[in-house]
Amino acid sequence: MSASAWRPAATAISLLWLATMAGAGMVFLAQVLLARRLGPAEYGLFASSLATVTVVAPLAGFGLSQFRLRVYGAEGWAGDRWLKPSFRFSAWTCVLAVGGVVAWALFGPVVDADTRDTLLLLTPVIVGLFAVDLVGSKLRLEERHSALALWQMLMSAGRLAVAATLLALPAANALGAALGYGVVALLIAALAMPQLNAMWHGRMELQGHGPRPTTLEPLVAPNVTQLWSQAWAYGVAAILYPVFFQVSTVLLKYLSSNEDAGHYGVALGVMTAIYLFPATVYHKFLLSRLHRWAVHDRPRFWRVYRIGNLSMLGAGVVVGLLLAVASPWAIPLAFGPAFADVATLLAVLALCVPVRFLSTAVEAALLTESHMRYRVVSMLFAAVVAVALNWWLIPRYGVMGAAWATVASEILLLIARWLGVRGFMPDREG
């Protein structure tokens, strides 16, 4: 590909990466301020409650934003026929997700009063994340990278404002942090309404398929059964990922203590910031293009896949080494002496970095309906193993058991994804 063809892609990736880094920096700073202000116990209560809500939140969108990227990539403007049915379905799943968190907060058998109130105040986060996901998918389809970059920073900026406000107050606790996060989520949902209204009325500037045809064949909107048969794999995959990623923080609260959950929450926050790099490249920039190339330009699809694997592996090794080397002095400096032992956790979790980077790249080849079913099976298997390992190791080894359970689960997921791509090798050209 010529330099002139690469330049727009490099510019877009750089813009999204800078915005992602800015967002990650704000999230990290908010985490530092909250951890220092609240202390291990209160921060552990807040972090574990937020992790619980985050685990449930993907049920609201049910992965349909990813599904829309696929159908628009394959069908072009005819993909409009899926829009309203998927919106209606998502609205019901959002109600179900909010109801599930409220029910657990009020009637959960191991939920104390502080946890109940924190969970209830964090419930609006589900609506906010749902809105961020919907608008983000629209901006990706329109390839409006500047708007997407700004949009993805809003939640991070709001959470940093909450942390800074609590730092200035004479008294602060987990309930105050939860209230602030809930208010920020509701404000972002309100800001999303004009974009969502434009989507609902078909006012999108879809890229990669030419201008909207002046005459289209009458579009037959799918019913709920047809939508479910096509999209269930995306929804289940979206639900399983936070279970896989956040289960250690949640189980540490219930199997160990709020303090252990707080320490692991800090480590997981650092890893989340690091994982934003491959997520930005693949989910925010390449994904809509990969869906299009998978149908209309197979050689380019596989060429990008091969280059991506090598690039992500190399970047992951470098970042993992930097994390292991820097964390012993960076963590106490950032979070204070009370969180110094988080550096030991990060030394173990650094093994996950090259694994996750490569896993994200390998997964990019699993986009079609049959591939998505395989992704669900592999993610379900990895999530079950993660829960089982955490359940077994946390009572015996505490936070270090959770860390090693995470490493083992990440490696297992990478192997499963690689085997899946190998199994679909006949689809490859050359």
Side-chain angles (χ1 to χ4, degrees), residues 20-46:
T20 300
M21 287 299 295
M26 288 186 282
V27 168
F28 185 77
L29 183 54
Q31 188 179 32
V32 169
L33 296 178
L34 287 175
R36 281 183 170 272
R37 187 70 180 89
L38 301 180
E42 282 290 312
Y43 182 73
L45 169 62
F46 172 74

Short mmCIF file of all heavy atoms in Angstrom, two decimals, residues 20-46:
data_model
loop_
_atom_site.label_atom_id
_atom_site.label_comp_id
_atom_site.label_asym_id
_atom_site.label_seq_id
_atom_site.Cartn_x
_atom_site.Cartn_y
_atom_site.Cartn_z
N THR A 20 -7.52 7.88 23.49
CA THR A 20 -7.58 6.75 24.41
C THR A 20 -6.58 6.92 25.55
O THR A 20 -6.88 6.64 26.71
CB THR A 20 -7.31 5.44 23.66
OG1 THR A 20 -8.30 5.28 22.64
CG2 THR A 20 -7.38 4.25 24.59
N MET A 21 -5.37 7.38 25.20
CA MET A 21 -4.36 7.61 26.23
C MET A 21 -4.81 8.70 27.20
O MET A 21 -4.61 8.59 28.41
CB MET A 21 -3.04 7.99 25.57
CG MET A 21 -2.32 6.83 24.90
SD MET A 21 -1.90 5.51 26.07
CE MET A 21 -0.74 6.36 27.13
N ALA A 22 -5.41 9.76 26.64
CA ALA A 22 -5.92 10.81 27.52
C ALA A 22 -7.01 10.27 28.44
O ALA A 22 -7.03 10.56 29.65
CB ALA A 22 -6.45 11.97 26.68
N GLY A 23 -7.92 9.47 27.85
CA GLY A 23 -8.96 8.87 28.68
C GLY A 23 -8.40 7.93 29.72
O GLY A 23 -8.82 7.93 30.89
N ALA A 24 -7.42 7.12 29.31
CA ALA A 24 -6.79 6.20 30.26
C ALA A 24 -6.07 6.96 31.36
O ALA A 24 -6.09 6.57 32.54
CB ALA A 24 -5.81 5.28 29.53
N GLY A 25 -5.42 8.07 30.98
CA GLY A 25 -4.75 8.88 31.98
C GLY A 25 -5.73 9.46 33.00
O GLY A 25 -5.45 9.48 34.20
N MET A 26 -6.89 9.90 32.50
CA MET A 26 -7.90 10.45 33.42
C MET A 26 -8.47 9.36 34.32
O MET A 26 -8.69 9.58 35.52
CB MET A 26 -9.00 11.13 32.62
CG MET A 26 -8.57 12.45 32.01
SD MET A 26 -9.90 13.36 31.20
CE MET A 26 -10.06 12.47 29.66
N VAL A 27 -8.72 8.17 33.75
CA VAL A 27 -9.21 7.06 34.57
C VAL A 27 -8.19 6.67 35.62
O VAL A 27 -8.53 6.45 36.80
CB VAL A 27 -9.54 5.84 33.67
CG1 VAL A 27 -9.78 4.60 34.51
CG2 VAL A 27 -10.77 6.14 32.82
N PHE A 28 -6.93 6.61 35.22
CA PHE A 28 -5.87 6.24 36.15
C PHE A 28 -5.74 7.29 37.26
O PHE A 28 -5.62 6.94 38.44
CB PHE A 28 -4.55 6.10 35.41
CG PHE A 28 -3.42 5.61 36.26
CD1 PHE A 28 -3.32 4.27 36.62
CD2 PHE A 28 -2.46 6.50 36.72
CE1 PHE A 28 -2.28 3.82 37.42
CE2 PHE A 28 -1.42 6.06 37.52
CZ PHE A 28 -1.32 4.72 37.86
N LEU A 29 -5.78 8.56 36.88
CA LEU A 29 -5.67 9.61 37.89
C LEU A 29 -6.88 9.58 38.83
O LEU A 29 -6.72 9.77 40.06
CB LEU A 29 -5.56 10.97 37.21
CG LEU A 29 -5.37 12.19 38.12
CD1 LEU A 29 -4.17 11.99 39.05
CD2 LEU A 29 -5.22 13.46 37.30
N ALA A 30 -8.07 9.35 38.27
CA ALA A 30 -9.25 9.23 39.13
C ALA A 30 -9.10 8.07 40.10
O ALA A 30 -9.46 8.18 41.28
CB ALA A 30 -10.51 9.04 38.27
N GLN A 31 -8.55 6.97 39.62
CA GLN A 31 -8.33 5.81 40.48
C GLN A 31 -7.33 6.13 41.58
O GLN A 31 -7.51 5.74 42.75
CB GLN A 31 -7.83 4.64 39.62
CG GLN A 31 -7.74 3.33 40.36
CD GLN A 31 -7.26 2.23 39.43
OE1 GLN A 31 -6.48 2.48 38.52
NE2 GLN A 31 -7.69 1.02 39.68
N VAL A 32 -6.26 6.83 41.22
CA VAL A 32 -5.26 7.23 42.21
C VAL A 32 -5.89 8.09 43.29
O VAL A 32 -5.70 7.87 44.50
CB VAL A 32 -4.09 7.97 41.53
CG1 VAL A 32 -3.18 8.62 42.57
CG2 VAL A 32 -3.28 7.02 40.66
N LEU A 33 -6.64 9.10 42.86
CA LEU A 33 -7.25 10.02 43.83
C LEU A 33 -8.25 9.31 44.73
O LEU A 33 -8.28 9.54 45.96
CB LEU A 33 -7.94 11.17 43.08
CG LEU A 33 -7.03 12.09 42.26
CD1 LEU A 33 -7.85 13.15 41.53
CD2 LEU A 33 -5.98 12.75 43.15
N LEU A 34 -9.06 8.43 44.15
CA LEU A 34 -10.06 7.72 44.97
C LEU A 34 -9.38 6.76 45.94
O LEU A 34 -9.78 6.67 47.11
CB LEU A 34 -11.02 6.95 44.06
CG LEU A 34 -12.05 7.79 43.30
CD1 LEU A 34 -12.86 6.92 42.35
CD2 LEU A 34 -12.97 8.53 44.26
N ALA A 35 -8.37 6.03 45.46
CA ALA A 35 -7.68 5.09 46.34
C ALA A 35 -7.01 5.82 47.50
O ALA A 35 -7.07 5.36 48.66
CB ALA A 35 -6.65 4.29 45.54
N ARG A 36 -6.36 6.93 47.22
CA ARG A 36 -5.71 7.69 48.28
C ARG A 36 -6.73 8.30 49.24
O ARG A 36 -6.52 8.34 50.45
CB ARG A 36 -4.86 8.80 47.67
CG ARG A 36 -3.50 8.34 47.13
CD ARG A 36 -2.70 9.52 46.61
NE ARG A 36 -1.33 9.16 46.31
CZ ARG A 36 -0.33 9.20 47.20
NH1 ARG A 36 -0.58 9.57 48.44
NH2 ARG A 36 0.90 8.87 46.84
N ARG A 37 -7.83 8.79 48.68
CA ARG A 37 -8.84 9.48 49.52
C ARG A 37 -9.65 8.51 50.35
O ARG A 37 -9.97 8.78 51.51
CB ARG A 37 -9.78 10.28 48.61
CG ARG A 37 -10.77 11.17 49.37
CD ARG A 37 -10.03 12.31 50.02
NE ARG A 37 -10.93 13.18 50.75
CZ ARG A 37 -11.27 13.02 52.04
NH1 ARG A 37 -10.77 12.00 52.73
NH2 ARG A 37 -12.09 13.88 52.63
N LEU A 38 -10.00 7.36 49.77
CA LEU A 38 -10.91 6.44 50.47
C LEU A 38 -10.18 5.43 51.33
O LEU A 38 -10.75 4.93 52.32
CB LEU A 38 -11.78 5.70 49.44
CG LEU A 38 -12.66 6.58 48.53
CD1 LEU A 38 -13.46 5.70 47.57
CD2 LEU A 38 -13.59 7.46 49.35
N GLY A 39 -8.96 5.03 50.96
CA GLY A 39 -8.26 3.98 51.69
C GLY A 39 -8.66 2.61 51.19
O GLY A 39 -9.67 2.45 50.47
N PRO A 40 -7.90 1.56 51.55
CA PRO A 40 -8.14 0.21 50.99
C PRO A 40 -9.55 -0.32 51.21
O PRO A 40 -10.15 -0.90 50.30
CB PRO A 40 -7.09 -0.65 51.70
CG PRO A 40 -6.00 0.30 52.04
CD PRO A 40 -6.67 1.60 52.37
N ALA A 41 -10.11 -0.17 52.42
CA ALA A 41 -11.41 -0.77 52.71
C ALA A 41 -12.53 -0.09 51.92
O ALA A 41 -13.33 -0.75 51.25
CB ALA A 41 -11.70 -0.72 54.20
N GLU A 42 -12.63 1.23 52.03
CA GLU A 42 -13.69 1.95 51.31
C GLU A 42 -13.50 1.86 49.80
O GLU A 42 -14.46 1.69 49.06
CB GLU A 42 -13.71 3.43 51.75
CG GLU A 42 -14.37 3.68 53.08
CD GLU A 42 -15.88 3.46 53.04
OE1 GLU A 42 -16.54 3.96 52.13
OE2 GLU A 42 -16.39 2.76 53.94
N TYR A 43 -12.25 1.95 49.36
CA TYR A 43 -12.01 1.83 47.92
C TYR A 43 -12.34 0.41 47.44
O TYR A 43 -12.86 0.23 46.34
CB TYR A 43 -10.56 2.17 47.57
CG TYR A 43 -10.30 2.09 46.08
CD1 TYR A 43 -10.80 3.07 45.23
CD2 TYR A 43 -9.61 1.03 45.53
CE1 TYR A 43 -10.59 2.99 43.86
CE2 TYR A 43 -9.40 0.93 44.17
CZ TYR A 43 -9.90 1.92 43.33
OH TYR A 43 -9.70 1.82 41.97
N GLY A 44 -12.04 -0.57 48.26
CA GLY A 44 -12.40 -1.94 47.90
C GLY A 44 -13.89 -2.13 47.76
O GLY A 44 -14.37 -2.81 46.84
N LEU A 45 -14.67 -1.52 48.68
CA LEU A 45 -16.13 -1.57 48.58
C LEU A 45 -16.59 -0.93 47.28
O LEU A 45 -17.43 -1.49 46.55
CB LEU A 45 -16.74 -0.85 49.78
CG LEU A 45 -18.25 -0.57 49.72
CD1 LEU A 45 -19.03 -1.87 49.65
CD2 LEU A 45 -18.68 0.26 50.93
N PHE A 46 -16.05 0.24 46.97
CA PHE A 46 -16.45 0.94 45.74
C PHE A 46 -16.02 0.16 44.50
O PHE A 46 -16.81 -0.03 43.57
CB PHE A 46 -15.83 2.34 45.74
CG PHE A 46 -16.02 3.06 44.43
CD1 PHE A 46 -17.26 3.57 44.08
CD2 PHE A 46 -14.96 3.21 43.54
CE1 PHE A 46 -17.45 4.23 42.86
CE2 PHE A 46 -15.14 3.86 42.33
CZ PHE A 46 -16.38 4.37 42.00
#
